[in-house]
Amino acid sequence: MATSQAEAEQMERKLRPIYDAIDNGQNKKAVQLVDKILKKQESLHCAKALKAIALLRLGRNEESSVLIDEVIKSQCGDQATLQAVSMYHRETGEYHKVVELYSAAAAKYPTNGEILTQLFMAYVRIGDHQKQQQTAVNLHKIFPDNGPYYCWRVMSILMQAHESTDRRNVYLPLAERLLQKYIEDKRIETEAEVRLYLIVLELVGKTEKRLEVMRSETGKVIRTPLERASIELSCLVELQRWEEASQRLREFLPEYPDQWSYIREYAHVQVKRGVAMVQNGRGTNTGEAIGVGASNQSCAMADDKDKPNGDGIASADGGQSKSVVQDGDRWAQPLQEAVEFLDQLKEKPFLTATTSHIPRGPFLGRLELLKEAAKCGLDRCAGVDLGSAAPLLMDYFMVFSNCSCCYEDLHTFLSAFPKADVEQFLDLAEQFVKPSEVEFGCPEDRVKTNLSNLRKQISLLQLQRHGGRHDSMTVDQKEALIAHCTKHFREGVRISATSPTIAAQYTDFYGLLAAHLMIELYGELAGNGARDGAGDGAGDGAGDGAGDGAGDGAGDGAGDGARDGARDGAGDGARDGAGDGAGDGAGDGAGDGARDGAGDGARDGAGDGARDGAGDGARDGAGDGAGDGAGDGARVWMWS
């Protein structure tokens, strides 16, 4: 053993410069170092494998392939050579050859744990889960005290269940039994092993068992209290045990008041508690309660004969929903508890190791509670005061409008609440934020306060835009807002002077908003110019075309009528003047016919030409006027 270790150390010293050269990208140098070693020791297969890697990276693929095949045929089983050959095949993407390499080595050295481990990983890379399970079993037999090998076996079974849905009912119970035995033998020690057991229980649908594990000594192996509470809470919610879930949330929310996922879950749980109470009061099983997260479903349970007197309550979308219960004291209790609990969290500053601040979570929790209650028609029933959307939004805005998170927190609620409440909130916010408070020329000692006012104004502009206020502005109002934003964007550079130039600056939003407003205004003015130009061009073209067509038609009709009248008059005159003299009659008739035909033709031609010319002129003039009007309108606005 000592001799073998000494040989390994000697080989390591010889090969170290080659490894360093390959790692540093000096592949030509690595080839030269290998050639020097092979002159002295031709049977050093690890050096040949390293040379093959260097040749591959130099683009000499054929030479490297011949050399690596020579190494594989030698069936050398030392770890350094196997690793080098494995690295070569990974770079070429030939993972199946890595499997072949380690399979041959495992057959030669069946009790070598390192080789079996690498063989397991090779099977993982090619996705042969059945073979990796067999390899994990062999590893566990050789090293029974090594827990990870046992879990590798279970994980391989889970992967087979994931890919083979038709045999899922076979693989999952097998994985559960293996882990159950492992726990009963009290061999479970690590968090990863507990998490694997919880995953298996979740896949087989044993939520009650998961909850039991988390409340046992096994669950305490997971050292993070918040993670344990999160898993336990998910089990309670899935089991629809709203009372326990509410109690659990109330225990750790004071420590994590800004954990939005738990604040949101608390609001949902409290609403579902109220719904479950209504169902129980109507003779409905608790298990039929709607799960947390259900949306757009009315939770009204009463039939028409059970409805109390009155017109019902207004839902969040402005419609009317049924009143769920006549005596609201019982089901209103969870909602009232939530209001009081969240208000208490509002008043209690959140203390950390270094700072103290007001938590945002309780403010958002009140909004989430109102939103969820409104979905179920519980927001305006007697027995509980959840507040109105506009005042609750304003409560948050007054405290956190100077924070960059203000818009991100509130914009989802603006989309969920009725338009009238949103408009009321925006009116209140506009009264709260005064643009004159932003002074870019303020003294240095007031820059921090000025920055707070700047953020308030940005938050207001963001919410106004999301609420649709900018869509209803006139052209003059938009131009004034563009000028305001452009001025603040340019002059606000002094406030951001200490920030890196590549970082987001405090006044960047002003520039973005101004750009968007300019694009919108350009589109509006271009559209208006096109419409105005089309109308003017159509009128001018119609008049010009009518005049031109009338003149052309008159001339054409006069000539045609003269010719036709002459022919007709000559014939008539000849017949009429036969007794008096054919020659005189023909001459007189020809003259009269020519005059009459010319007059009629002129009138008819003028009318036809006017109509035809008016139509053509209108079409041509409309197109020209539209293009000219659109271009003129856009150019005038841009230069002004």
Side-chain angles (χ1 to χ4, degrees):
M1 183 68 181
T3 304
S4 178
Q5 184 175 359
E7 291 176 356
E9 291 177 355
Q10 184 180 4
M11 181 184 293
E12 174 69 19
R13 285 195 299 270
K14 288 182 180 180
L15 299 178
R16 175 51 53 192
I18 303 174
Y19 282 111
D20 293 340
I22 292 175
D23 289 341
N24 294 326
Q26 299 172 337
N27 298 307
K28 289 184 179 180
K29 182 180 178 180
V31 172
Q32 294 171 358
L33 292 173
V34 171
D35 290 339
K36 289 180 181 179
I37 293 175
L38 291 177
K39 287 180 180 179
K40 300 178 182 179
Q41 190 176 353
E42 295 182 1
S43 61
L44 192 56
H45 299 293
C46 183
K48 292 181 181 180
L50 292 174
K51 181 180 178 179
I53 294 173
L55 290 172
L56 179 67
R57 294 182 178 181
L58 289 171
R60 296 158 64 178
N61 297 350
E62 292 183 3
E63 296 178 51
S64 66
S65 178
V66 171
L67 194 57
I68 206 69
D69 288 340
E70 180 183 340
V71 175
I72 294 174
K73 289 178 182 179
S74 68
Q75 294 186 350
C76 183
D78 66 279
Q79 291 297 322
T81 303
L82 291 173
Q83 289 176 0
V85 176
S86 177
M87 183 186 302
Y88 175 89
H89 287 310
R90 283 199 297 270
E91 290 198 9
T92 59
E94 299 171 313
Y95 297 109
H96 63 284
K97 290 189 176 182
V98 179
V99 172
E100 295 172 2
L101 175 71
Y102 280 105
S103 296
K108 191 175 182 178
Y109 306 98
T111 59
N112 189 310
E114 184 65 27
I115 291 177
L116 289 174
T117 299
Q118 293 299 326
L119 178 60
F120 177 86
M121 297 303 176
Y123 283 131
V124 171
R125 290 190 187 96
I126 66 172
D128 193 340
H129 305 307
Q130 188 173 2
K131 290 289 185 65
Q132 77 184 44
Q133 178 188 349
Q134 295 173 359
T135 307
V137 171
N138 293 335
L139 280 167
H140 183 65
K141 287 180 180 179
I142 299 169
F143 306 99
D145 296 330
N146 196 327
Y149 294 150
Y150 191 87
C151 292
W152 286 5
R153 177 187 178 184
V154 176
M155 200 66 217
S156 300
I157 295 173
L158 288 183
M159 294 305 297
Q160 292 178 71
H162 178 71
E163 290 192 347
S164 179
T165 55
D166 55 334
R167 300 195 63 190
R168 188 182 180 90
N169 295 332
V170 176
Y171 290 122
L172 292 180
L174 174 59
E176 182 190 0
R177 287 196 302 271
L178 289 173
L179 285 175
Q180 184 63 40
K181 183 178 182 301
Y182 194 66
I183 292 175
E184 290 173 355
D185 294 341
K186 297 183 179 180
R187 299 175 58 189
I188 196 163
E189 296 176 352
T190 65
E191 293 185 21
E193 294 168 346
V194 176
R195 290 194 186 97
L196 179 59
Y197 186 39
L198 294 172
I199 290 172
V200 172
L201 292 175
E202 183 177 7
L203 290 174
V204 298
K206 293 188 176 181
T207 307
E208 193 76 47
K209 183 66 176 178
R210 284 177 63 211
L211 183 60
E212 180 183 336
V213 170
M214 289 309 303
R215 291 177 172 178
S216 66
E217 292 297 322
T218 303
K220 294 180 180 178
V221 175
I222 298 178
R223 290 185 289 272
T224 308
L226 193 59
E227 183 179 358
R228 291 201 305 269
S230 178
I231 297 173
E232 184 180 347
L233 177 63
S234 66
C235 294
L236 292 171
V237 169
E238 188 172 344
L239 294 170
Q240 298 186 2
R241 290 158 64 168
W242 310 121
E243 294 285 348
E244 294 181 55
S246 174
Q247 183 61 34
R248 198 74 182 93
L249 284 162
R250 291 171 69 92
E251 288 175 4
F252 61 83
L253 269 178
E255 299 180 18
Y256 307 98
D258 274 336
Q259 190 73 25
W260 167 240
S261 60
Y262 297 138
I263 288 285
R264 182 175 180 272
E265 198 72 74
Y266 179 70
H268 288 207
V269 165
Q270 292 300 99
V271 172
K272 300 312 170 187
R273 280 182 64 196
V275 172
M277 288 181 178
V278 173
Q279 292 173 326
N280 289 339
R282 295 293 176 185
T284 306
N285 294 330
T286 306
E288 296 177 7
I290 299 172
V292 171
S295 61
N296 299 325
Q297 285 187 344
S298 174
C299 297
M301 306 299 169
D303 295 325
D304 291 340
K305 62 181 180 180
D306 295 326
K307 287 192 298 184
N309 295 329
D311 297 329
I313 56 173
S315 61
D317 59 0
Q320 293 292 322
S321 62
K322 297 178 183 179
S323 182
V324 295
V325 69
Q326 192 161 9
D327 182 9
D329 293 339
R330 186 176 73 261
W331 63 263
Q333 179 183 355
L335 301 182
Q336 194 61 45
E337 284 180 4
V339 170
E340 295 173 359
F341 177 68
L342 293 171
D343 286 344
Q344 290 174 4
L345 293 181
K346 279 184 187 180
E347 299 170 0
K348 182 180 178 182
F350 181 57
L351 302 176
T352 63
T354 56
T355 60
S356 171
H357 68 274
I358 300 175
R360 295 153 44 213
F363 291 86
L364 296 174
R366 286 293 307 275
L367 291 167
E368 186 70 18
L369 182 68
L370 178 60
K371 185 182 78 172
E372 287 302 307
K375 289 179 181 179
C376 294
L378 306 179
D379 55 332
R380 298 180 186 179
C381 290
V384 63
D385 182 14
L386 298 178
S388 300
L392 291 176
L393 289 166
M394 196 60 199
D395 287 346
Y396 176 94
F397 187 81
M398 292 176 66
V399 180
F400 301 105
S401 57
N402 62 345
C403 301
S404 58
C405 62
C406 179
Y407 170 74
E408 296 298 330
D409 285 346
L410 293 186
H411 80 278
T412 56
F413 294 106
L414 296 187
S415 304
F417 290 134
K419 185 68 174 177
D421 290 339
V422 174
E423 292 295 328
Q424 183 184 357
F425 160 65
L426 291 176
D427 290 340
L428 295 172
E430 289 169 1
Q431 297 174 13
F432 177 73
V433 178
K434 298 178 176 58
S436 60
E437 292 180 351
V438 180
E439 303 173 8
F440 290 100
C442 64
E444 293 295 331
D445 59 347
R446 290 187 54 204
V447 167
K448 187 173 182 180
T449 303
N450 192 52
L451 183 59
S452 175
N453 295 331
L454 177 68
R455 286 173 173 165
K456 288 180 182 179
Q457 189 176 116
I458 289 176
S459 297
L460 176 60
L461 289 171
Q462 289 174 320
L463 293 170
Q464 284 176 330
R465 187 162 184 80
H466 185 85
R469 285 289 174 94
H470 294 169
D471 297 336
S472 59
M473 284 184 170
T474 63
V475 172
D476 292 339
Q477 290 173 332
K478 285 188 177 181
E479 289 179 344
L481 183 56
I482 290 171
H484 171 81
C485 292
T486 304
K487 176 183 176 183
H488 278 51
F489 175 69
R490 291 172 177 169
E491 295 183 355
V493 175
R494 189 172 75 88
I495 295 180
S496 306
T498 58
S499 302
T501 55
I502 61 173
Q505 306 298 316
Y506 295 119
T507 56
D508 282 353
F509 176 76
Y510 285 114
L512 290 172
L513 180 58
H516 281 281
L517 288 170
M518 286 179 183
I519 293 171
E520 290 177 6
L521 197 56
Y522 175 80
E524 292 178 12
L525 293 176
N528 293 336
R531 287 191 296 272
D532 296 342
D536 296 341
D540 296 341
D544 296 340
D548 295 341
D552 295 341
D556 295 341
D560 296 341
R563 287 190 297 271
D564 295 341
R567 288 192 299 270
D568 296 341
D572 295 339
R575 287 191 299 271
D576 294 339
D580 299 331
D584 295 340
D588 295 340
D592 295 340
R595 287 192 298 272
D596 296 342
D600 295 341
R603 286 192 298 273
D604 295 341
D608 295 340
R611 286 192 297 273
D612 296 341
D616 296 340
R619 286 193 295 273
D620 296 341
D624 296 339
D628 296 342
D632 294 342
R635 285 194 294 273
V636 168
W637 175 78
M638 289 295 290
W639 286 109
S640 62

